[in-house]
């Protein structure tokens, strides 16, 4: 709803040409057909957007509201603002400066009338000169402006508001969000109000204006329903499985013919090929009798990838949206729809959060016996007495148990409780130490051993025969080598490509991670590499550190190598789901910089637009987009071996 006053009867109030363009910016954003129906706004009281009278506005203020408490609303008022008689007034077409009491609308009264409407979320923007002068009056309201309502003035008490300035700044930000360029605001459905309006305010300062929140209400860290994010694209995977489902970006990267260089986007990418024997066993575990299966192996052997495949291919929304690609997968390598009920990534999470995630995903009622926050004991009770307990088995996948905030508690307090009553198929992903990995003193049992013992779990050791097949790794390498449009390996004859792929697979051992790092960077070289060279042999034998360092050395100059290491190192120090960008990532990078460099948004945008962005995974935590390294081994490399990465020599 907009009240736009560009023309006035009182000649002392000059016309304001250009206000229609202000409204057009907001309408193109909020009422865009590109927004999903639940985020799309509908214009209301459109007659008020064409030079209304003060009487028409007062009628609106006093009328019964036609919208429900579940609605979100945006009210935009623009035109002349007037300070007279110690108050701030909104001028409309019939306003006379010698009689503001009778012909203008006091801004505080207008704000109060709007703020008392029942809405889930309401945003009121007063874009008028000196509109911040309303602050004192709104703070003095007997009843504070409700929390669901945010009221903003576009200028301070002594500042003029220039035509097009506020909406021009908003338009700049929206254009950035609509572009393909990475954005610090992320891609969640709604923008966080503190992030968005802080950025608006920073840009307004260059024009001599600043935003002023009216009343006691301050900007919060919550996403605001009045701020739909134009770059958000709905995820077809259901929330209960989203934690472990293959990311939409990965699917696009491997199935889009522009990025793969294939004839048809229907050609099956490597995401759903290989490891057939392992996949059959996982499907059996997800659809058979109750019991626990632990998928284990050394770092980089592909545990998460195959669990992600199981979860993704069991999601009906994914199957419907990618029917052509799914159709070519052999039937015995596809789980049935809804085979996995819940998928949880344990990385950085507390045991109570993981247990609660499972219960909420299964719609199991959960209440606190003491206080307001349910305890682990409350969760165990809810699980044991769940209404659906006798209606059938459920399948729950929990990956990265070793990366949880407290793996021991996760095993003792959550996984053991879930498996106790026999009503569940529990599939657990956990890293097992490699034979050459240093053991603690005194020795402690590996988590995979604890799970197998305490939960009587079937162990799938996927880095050893028979579930480990070097041909699977070689096939993966061959597809990675030929994926990039300009890869020097794309046009090799089949036998020669297979020979190169087997060589890399042999050097990578049982690590898909090292194979990926090696094959990906070879595919980006201008010409094929002599894999017998001292430089290459030194790099691949040094594992993750060597491959990462080799990639930096061959693709970047020293200055950019430092920049990449510092920026990725900041992410390596983040816990939980990852590191937020806006106002946080640059500061962390500055704090951990090896050479005291200073970074800003432009550096992060550069990184995310470079091939090095392949080392990152985008996720969401607390309604914010976050970034983390795609594998825990990279975290160790950047935290512990950063200087070695920069000193990598040919």
């Amino acid at each position: 709803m907009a009240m736009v006053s560009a023309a006035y009867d009182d000649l002392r109030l000059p016309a304001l040409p250009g206000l229609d363009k202000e409204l057009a910016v907001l309408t193109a954003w909020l009422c865009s057909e590109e927004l999903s129906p639940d985020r799309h706004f509908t214009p209301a009281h459109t007659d008020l957007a064409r030079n209304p009278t003060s009487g028409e506005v007062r009628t609106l203020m006093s009328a019964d509201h036609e919208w429900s408490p579940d609605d979100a609303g945006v009210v935009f008022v623009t035109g002349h603002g007037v300070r007279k008689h110690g108050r701030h007034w909104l001028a409309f077409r019939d306003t006379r400066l010698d009689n503001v009491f009778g012909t203008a609308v006091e801004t505080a009264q207008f704000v109060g009338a709007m703020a008392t409407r029942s809405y889930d979320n309401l945003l009121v923007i007063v874009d008028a000169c000196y509109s911040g002068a309303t602050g004192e009056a709104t703070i003095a309201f007997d009843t504070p402006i409700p929390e669901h309502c945010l009221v903003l003035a576009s200028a301070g008490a002594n500042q003029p508001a220039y035509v097009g300035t506020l909406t021009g700044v908003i338009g700049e930000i929206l254009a950035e969000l609509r572009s393909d360029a990475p954005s610090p605001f992320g891609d969640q459905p709604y923008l966080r109000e503190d992030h968005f309006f802080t950025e608006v305010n920073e840009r307004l300062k260059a024009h001599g204006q600043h935003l002023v929140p009216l009343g006691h209400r301050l900007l919060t860290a919550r996403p605001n329903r009045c701020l739909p994010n134009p770059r958000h694209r709905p995820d077809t995977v259901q929330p209960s499985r989203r934690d472990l489902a293959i990311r939409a970006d990965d699917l696009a990267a491997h199935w889009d013919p522009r990025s793969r260089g294939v004839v048809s986007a229907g050609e099956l990418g490597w995401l759903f090929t290989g490891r057939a024997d392992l996949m059959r066993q996982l499907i059996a575990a997800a659809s058979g009798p109750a019991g626990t299966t632990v998928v284990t192996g050394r770092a980089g052997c592909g545990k998460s990838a195959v669990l992600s495949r199981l979860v993704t291919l069991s999601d009906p929304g994914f199957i419907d949206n990618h029917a052509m690609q799914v159709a070519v997968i052999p039937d015995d390598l596809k789980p049935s729809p809804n085979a996995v009920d819940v998928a949880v990534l344990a990385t950085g999470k507390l045991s109570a959060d993981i247990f609660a995630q499972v219960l909420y995903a299964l719609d199991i009622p959960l209440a606190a016996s003491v206080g307001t926050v349910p305890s682990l004991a409350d969760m165990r009770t809810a699980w044991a007495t769940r209404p659906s307990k006798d209606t059938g088995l459920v399948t729950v996948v929990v990956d990265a148990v070793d990366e949880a905030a407290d793996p021991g508690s996760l095993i003792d307090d959550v996984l053991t409780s879930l498996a106790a009553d026999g009503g569940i198929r529990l599939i657990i992903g956990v890293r097992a130490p490699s034979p050459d990995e240093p053991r603690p003193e005194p020795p402690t049992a590996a988590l995979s051993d604890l799970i197998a013992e305490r939960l009587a779990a079937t162990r799938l050791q996927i880095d050893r025969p028979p579930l480990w097949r070097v041909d699977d790794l070689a096939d993966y390498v061959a597809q990675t080598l030929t994926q990039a449009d300009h890869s020097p390996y794309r046009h090799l004859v089949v036998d020669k490509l297979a020979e190169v792929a087997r060589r890399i697979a042999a050097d990578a051992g049982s690590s898909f991670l090292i194979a990926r790092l090696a094959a990906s960077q070879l595919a980006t070289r201008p010409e094929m590499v002599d894999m017998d060279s001292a430089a290459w042999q030194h790099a691949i034998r040094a594992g993750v550190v060597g491959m990462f360092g080799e990639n930096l050395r061959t693709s970047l100059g020293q200055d950019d190598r430092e920049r990449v290491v510092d920026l990725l190192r900041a992410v390596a120090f983040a816990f939980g789901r990852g590191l937020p960008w806006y106002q946080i990532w640059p500061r962390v990078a500055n704090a951990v910089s090896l050479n005291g460099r200073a970074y800003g948004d432009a550096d992060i945008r550069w990184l995310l637009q470079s091939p090095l962005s392949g080392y990152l995974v985008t996720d969401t935590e607390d309604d914010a987009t976050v970034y983390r390294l795609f594998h825990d081994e990279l975290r160790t490399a950047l935290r512990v071996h950063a200087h070695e990465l920069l000193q990598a020599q040919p």
Side-chain angles (χ1 to χ4, degrees), residues 341-354:
D341 296 285
V342 188
V344 180
L345 180 65
T347 299
K349 293 180 181 176
L350 298 170
S351 300
D353 294 334
I354 294 170

Side-chain angles (χ1 to χ4, degrees), residues 154-377:
S154 69
N158 299 306
Q159 289 178 335
Y162 301 102
V163 172
T165 298
L166 174 63
T167 54
V169 164
I170 291 175
E172 290 174 6
I173 297 172
L174 294 173
E176 294 167 10
L177 286 168
R178 294 187 184 106
S179 74
D180 293 332
S183 169
F185 298 111
D187 56 5
Q188 61 274 18
Y190 298 98
L191 301 170
R192 275 177 46 166
E193 61 183 46
D194 58 341
H195 287 179
F196 185 73
F197 287 115
T198 297
E199 185 66 19
V200 170
N201 212 16
E202 286 298 313
R203 301 188 190 201
L204 272 181
K205 289 178 181 177
H207 301 277
Q209 290 179 225
H210 68 274
L211 288 174
V212 180
L214 301 181
H216 292 279
R217 170 78 149 78
L218 299 177
L219 298 173
T220 72
R222 298 190 301 267
N224 192 312
R225 285 185 61 201
C226 300
L227 304 173
N229 188 348
R231 74 188 295 130
H232 173 72
R233 296 295 177 266
D235 194 335
T236 58
V237 176
Q238 295 176 4
S240 60
R241 284 177 282 268
R242 193 170 296 151
D243 247 16
L244 296 182
I246 294 173
R247 297 167 53 239
D249 288 350
D250 285 338
L251 294 170
H254 296 294
W255 283 343
D256 187 330
R258 291 170 299 177
S259 62
R260 296 193 60 226
V262 298
V263 175
S264 167
E267 182 178 335
L268 185 65
W270 59 261
L271 288 172
F272 293 136
T273 61
R275 312 211 78 168
D277 293 340
L278 174 56
M279 194 65 194
R280 292 188 190 98
Q281 293 205 35
L282 285 176
I283 291 171
S287 56
T292 301
T293 302
V294 57
V295 181
T296 189
R298 69 188 67 185
C301 68
K303 299 180 300 298
S304 295
V306 74
L307 288 175
S308 178
R309 188 191 307 180
L310 174 72
V311 169
T312 304
L313 288 177
S314 75
D315 188 85
F318 175 87
I319 295 170
D320 290 343
N321 280 274
H322 301 281
M324 182 169 59
Q325 292 89 344
V326 173
V328 301
I329 301 173
D331 288 342
D332 64 336
L333 299 182
K334 290 186 290 189
S336 59
N338 292 307
V340 174
D341 296 285
V342 188
V344 180
L345 180 65
T347 299
K349 293 180 181 176
L350 298 170
S351 300
D353 294 334
I354 294 170
F355 209 156
Q357 186 174 341
V358 172
L359 296 176
Y360 287 133
L362 295 173
D363 292 323
I364 296 173
L366 179 59
S369 57
V370 178
T372 58
V373 179
S375 65
L376 280 167

Side-chain angles (χ1 to χ4, degrees), residues 465-517:
L467 293 177
W468 176 265
R469 296 177 63 254
V470 70
D471 287 348
D472 285 333
L473 185 58
D475 289 344
Y476 169 79
V477 170
Q479 293 192 53
T480 305
L481 284 172
T482 56
Q483 189 175 356
D485 285 343
H486 303 292
S487 169
Y489 298 87
R490 282 199 67 197
H491 302 294
L492 282 180
V493 296
V494 173
D495 290 346
K496 182 62 176 176
L497 177 64
E499 179 184 337
V500 173
R502 284 194 296 270
R503 174 70 180 274
I504 295 174
D507 288 339
S510 59
S511 175
F512 273 84
L513 172 60
I514 294 174
R516 170 177 172 172
L517 295 176

Side-chain angles (χ1 to χ4, degrees), residues 450-472:
L450 288 175
I451 293 171
E453 177 185 345
R454 296 185 187 179
L455 279 66
T458 299
R459 183 195 294 263
L460 299 182
Q461 189 80 31
I462 71 170
D463 61 347
R464 301 174 193 169
L467 293 177
W468 176 265
R469 296 177 63 254
V470 70
D471 287 348
D472 285 333

